């Protein structure tokens, strides 16, 4: 009895619930300008395979007629032997002069025949043959044919000199001094030095977000430097690629003179295409999502609730939400394995960085 009466009693402690500690982020709506990532290869906007239009031996080539040589519009590249074409032009001019003489002769004879007809006093109307009209028509036709032959001979003579049709650079040459060319024989491959084009693939979802008259920022790295150019999207190719289900936009860019050595056909560039402006958008970290479009919000009473939102797109480690969230609401960022609607949680407080204390000097000790 004594032992029972004198036994110690255990202290009773209040029961403490262990609440999950979570990190939250407040909803902040903003206006976002979308940037749609892409990449592509620099290609010339214009590329031509030059070919000979007339036959002849190459008797002169420009000193710049090598791969990489640059020509301005109208600058001669090569010349063919032209003696035969000068002779053909002279012969065509002589034939034209003979045709003109024949026409003048026939017209004079026609006038004389008409006077003879009147002098003889025959009645009725003279026939076309009497007035030599068929002969005059034939002489006029010969003149037109002769004129055409002169023009052709002149064109052939001009074509013995092959010139640049636009400011261009040689990519590949196919002839050299002394070569004999036939009509249609390849001479060189050339491309326009500016502007350049870049085909930029976008998925169908991204293509739907492209803005009006979009621009494109192009970047590449070389020699430890980052080069950047601003281009304009000039068109879209109008076909969905069957293999990748992508739409190709074509951006046009003119490099600065200082970047000509870098901006060359074949250069690979990263691109950011200007997208639409999205109002009242919310950027949400991807780690906050449960599934494709569900978030967990923390209410004013620190209890959890599910919310289905509209995700416009995902980029990097965040998603852009355009509907389903109100300004100031709190999004739970901490993953919870067994999350239950209405579960109470504890908000993790963000600790403010402590200010560094100023050093205290000892009395009488100089600093």
């Amino acid at each position: 009895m004594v032992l029972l009466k004198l036994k110690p009693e255990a202290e009773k402690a209040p029961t403490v619930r262990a609440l999950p500690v979570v990190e939250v982020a407040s909803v902040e709506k903003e206006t976002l300008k979308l940037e749609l990532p892409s990449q592509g290869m620099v290609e010339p906007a214009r590329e031509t395979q030059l070919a000979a239009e007339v036959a002849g031996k190459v008797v002169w080539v420009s000193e710049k007629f090598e791969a990489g040589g640059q020509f301005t519009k109208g600058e001669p590249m090569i010349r063919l032997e032209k003696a035969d074409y000068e002779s053909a032009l002279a012969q065509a001019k002589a034939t034209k002069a003979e045709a003109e003489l024949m026409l003048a002769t026939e017209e004079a004879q026609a006038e004389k025949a008409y006077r003879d007809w009147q002098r003889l006093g025959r009645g009725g109307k003279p026939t076309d043959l009497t007035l030599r009209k068929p002969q005059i028509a034939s002489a006029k036709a010969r003149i037109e044919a002769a004129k055409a032959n002169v023009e052709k001979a002149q064109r052939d003579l001009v074509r013995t000199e092959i010139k640049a049709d636009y400011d261009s650079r040689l990519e590949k040459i196919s002839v050299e001094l002394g070569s004999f060319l036939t009509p249609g024989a390849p001479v060189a491959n050339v491309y326009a030095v500016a502007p350049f084009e870049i085909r930029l693939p976008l998925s169908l979802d991204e293509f739907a977000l492209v803005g009006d008259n979009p621009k494109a920022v192009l970047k590449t790295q070389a020699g430890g430097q980052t080069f950047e150019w601003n281009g304009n999207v000039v068109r879209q190719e109008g076909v969905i690629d069957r293999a990748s289900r992508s739409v190709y936009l074509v951006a046009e860019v003119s490099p600065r003179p200082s970047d000509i050595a870098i901006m060359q056909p074949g250069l690979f560039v990263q691109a950011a295409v200007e997208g639409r402006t999205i109002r009242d958008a919310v950027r949400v970290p991807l780690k906050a999502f449960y599934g494709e479009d569900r978030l967990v919000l923390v209410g004013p009473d620190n209890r959890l609730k599910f919310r289905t939102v509209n995700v416009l797109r995902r980029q990097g480690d965040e998603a852009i939400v355009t509907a389903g969230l109100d300004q100031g609401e709190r999004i739970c960022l901490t993953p919870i394995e067994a999350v239950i609607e209405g579960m109470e949680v504890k908000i993790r407080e963000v600790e403010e960085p402590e200010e560094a204390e100023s050093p205290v000097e000892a009395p009488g000790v100089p600093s």
Side-chain angles (χ1 to χ4, degrees):
M1 292 293 292
V2 172
L3 291 175
L4 290 174
K5 288 187 177 290
L6 296 180
K7 67 179 182 180
E9 292 185 3
E11 294 182 2
K12 295 182 179 180
T15 302
V16 179
R17 291 189 301 164
L19 299 178
V21 180
V22 298
E23 182 182 354
V24 297
S26 296
V27 172
E28 294 183 3
K29 294 189 176 183
E30 56 184 319
T31 299
L32 296 178
K33 187 75 172 179
L34 297 181
E35 288 188 352
L36 310 174
S38 187
Q39 65 283 319
M41 202 81 70
V42 174
E43 298 291 347
R46 182 181 296 172
E47 193 170 6
T48 307
Q49 183 182 50
L50 295 180
E53 296 183 81
V54 295
K57 181 180 178 181
V58 178
V59 295
W60 177 86
V61 296
S62 170
E63 60 182 9
K64 297 186 293 183
F65 192 73
E66 297 289 347
Q70 190 166 327
F71 292 82
T72 58
K73 181 178 180 180
E75 185 177 358
M77 296 180 177
I78 68 173
R79 294 191 181 102
L80 305 181
E81 191 174 18
K82 59 182 179 179
D84 292 343
Y85 297 98
E86 291 174 337
S87 175
L89 176 59
Q91 182 63 39
K93 289 181 177 179
T95 303
K96 176 175 173 288
E98 290 176 0
E100 290 173 344
L101 175 60
M102 182 178 293
L103 175 61
T105 302
E106 291 295 339
E107 288 177 340
Q109 290 181 357
E111 185 177 352
K112 180 178 181 300
Y114 181 69
R115 288 198 305 268
D116 292 343
W117 177 272
Q118 288 181 328
R119 187 170 59 251
L120 293 174
R122 297 181 179 180
K125 184 179 179 181
T127 63
D128 291 345
L129 188 59
T130 302
L131 298 180
R132 305 188 66 83
K133 288 185 178 181
Q135 292 87 337
I136 292 176
S138 176
K140 288 181 177 180
R142 289 186 181 183
I143 289 178
E144 293 301 320
K147 286 181 180 179
N149 288 334
V150 169
E151 292 173 358
K152 179 182 181 302
Q154 289 173 335
R155 288 195 303 268
D156 289 345
L157 183 59
V158 170
R159 289 167 179 168
T160 59
E161 185 175 70
I162 299 177
K163 301 179 181 180
D165 293 327
Y166 46 84
D167 293 349
S168 55
R169 177 171 290 173
L170 290 178
E171 181 181 12
K172 176 185 176 183
I173 63 172
S174 304
V175 299
E176 194 45 85
L177 185 66
S179 302
F180 185 85
L181 300 181
T182 58
V187 173
N189 291 357
V190 300
Y191 63 86
V193 294
F196 290 108
E197 291 185 346
I198 302 94
R199 297 175 71 235
L200 302 175
L202 292 178
S203 67
L204 290 177
D205 291 336
E206 291 173 330
F207 178 66
L209 300 175
V210 174
D212 297 329
N213 301 317
K215 298 184 181 300
V217 178
L218 310 171
K219 293 182 180 180
T220 193
Q221 291 185 342
Q225 301 182 48
T226 299
F227 296 87
E228 181 175 312
W229 301 275
N230 294 321
N232 296 314
V233 176
V234 293
R235 66 181 184 278
Q236 65 107 347
E237 294 187 347
V239 177
I240 298 176
D241 186 83
R242 290 173 173 79
S244 62
R245 308 303 297 168
S246 299
V247 177
Y248 280 88
L249 303 182
V250 178
E252 189 177 87
V253 60
S254 295
R256 298 177 292 269
S258 58
D259 296 339
I260 291 294
I262 297 297
M263 178 67 78
Q264 297 291 337
L267 177 69
F268 183 82
V269 295
Q270 298 288 340
V273 179
E274 188 177 31
R276 293 194 284 113
T277 299
I278 308 299
R279 302 186 184 280
D280 296 330
V282 182
R283 289 185 287 187
V284 180
L286 292 179
K287 65 179 182 179
F289 281 87
Y290 289 78
E292 291 293 322
D293 56 359
R294 296 185 76 197
L295 294 173
V296 172
L297 304 185
V298 180
D301 55 356
N302 288 348
R303 293 187 180 276
L304 303 181
K305 54 183 177 180
F306 287 105
R307 180 73 59 79
T308 300
V309 297
N310 180 40
V311 179
L312 180 67
R313 66 179 272 102
R314 289 171 171 79
Q315 54 184 26
D317 58 354
E318 64 182 14
I320 298 176
V321 175
T322 56
L325 294 173
D326 295 326
Q327 182 75 17
E329 288 187 308
R330 296 183 297 177
I331 302 173
C332 178
L333 301 181
T334 304
I336 302 176
E337 291 185 4
V339 60
I340 302 173
E341 181 90 15
M343 176 188 293
E344 187 177 0
V345 295
K346 182 179 179 181
I347 306 301
R348 178 182 298 165
E349 299 295 336
V350 179
E351 298 181 357
E352 297 292 337
E354 297 182 358
E355 295 183 2
E357 297 182 356
S358 1
V360 179
E361 297 179 1
V365 179
S367 56

